[in-house]
Amino acid sequence: MTETTIYTVMEFHGTGDPYFGGTAADWSLYKTEDGGHSFISTAEAQRRKLVMAYFPTVADAEQAGTAASTRKGRISALPKKPRLEVPTGQISWIVGNKHVGEEDSELAEDLADRAKRAGASDPDLIAQIVAYALACHRANQELVTHFRL
């Protein structure tokens, strides 16, 4: 079995270290207060208490990054190892017992609810749990397609 991966997105903009007169400002993609996505500096994201955006596939990450880019920098989907608190085995089992045709929104809502009932209160942890569940869901969908089930 291959390891399931989740992704974050970075936008690389400008050149050279700002400390030495450069204009580089590389920002991560965050989920905004209105539910959208925006590339924001880490300091601004912390001030606003935003959660980093996590995605189940490279394609989903790059698509969201391209749509959110206002500076038109280079967009890169970066693999992110889930936090140790993310119960990957349990998530994989739960998702494996669901129908591959289940809507992403239903699956995401179910896993977020399960995480909250289990005591998770950190929004970043819940976001990673949901992204991991969706990544498992995509892997199951690919298996069905591959084996023409």
Side-chain angles (χ1 to χ4, degrees):
M1 183 172 138
T2 61
E3 188 173 323
T4 303
T5 305
I6 62 175
Y7 297 89
T8 61
V9 186
M10 290 280 299
E11 180 182 42
F12 301 96
H13 184 267
T15 57
D17 190 326
Y19 186 77
F20 298 104
T23 61
D26 305 336
W27 295 346
S28 292
L29 189 64
Y30 287 87
K31 191 157 198 137
T32 57
E33 297 89 349
D34 65 0
H37 293 110
S38 184
F39 285 103
I40 300 172
S41 70
T42 302
E44 177 67 11
Q46 288 174 347
R47 184 186 69 72
R48 292 168 54 186
K49 296 183 174 134
L50 299 178
V51 175
M52 191 173 285
Y54 299 103
F55 300 92
T57 67
V58 170
D60 290 340
E62 289 176 346
Q63 181 180 4
T66 300
S69 178
T70 58
R71 303 182 303 163
K72 302 305 175 200
R74 287 180 298 129
I75 305 298
S76 291
L78 306 171
K80 170 81 172 168
K81 185 174 183 170
R83 292 166 45 170
L84 293 175
E85 304 96 322
V86 174
T88 56
Q90 290 92 332
I91 292 169
S92 180
W93 185 84
I94 290 166
V95 173
N97 285 300
K98 292 191 172 279
H99 191 277
V100 294
E102 183 168 346
E103 292 293 325
D104 287 352
S105 59
E106 292 175 22
L107 182 72
E109 185 178 325
D110 180 34
L111 268 290
D113 287 345
R114 287 173 185 258
K116 290 173 188 170
R117 285 194 314 266
S121 59
D122 179 1
D124 183 74
L125 176 60
I126 295 168
Q128 286 194 26
I129 288 169
V130 168
Y132 189 84
L134 291 172
C136 291
H137 192 50
R138 293 291 187 287
N140 291 344
Q141 290 169 332
E142 288 176 16
L143 281 174
V144 168
T145 301
H146 177 75
F147 289 111
R148 298 182 185 104
L149 298 175

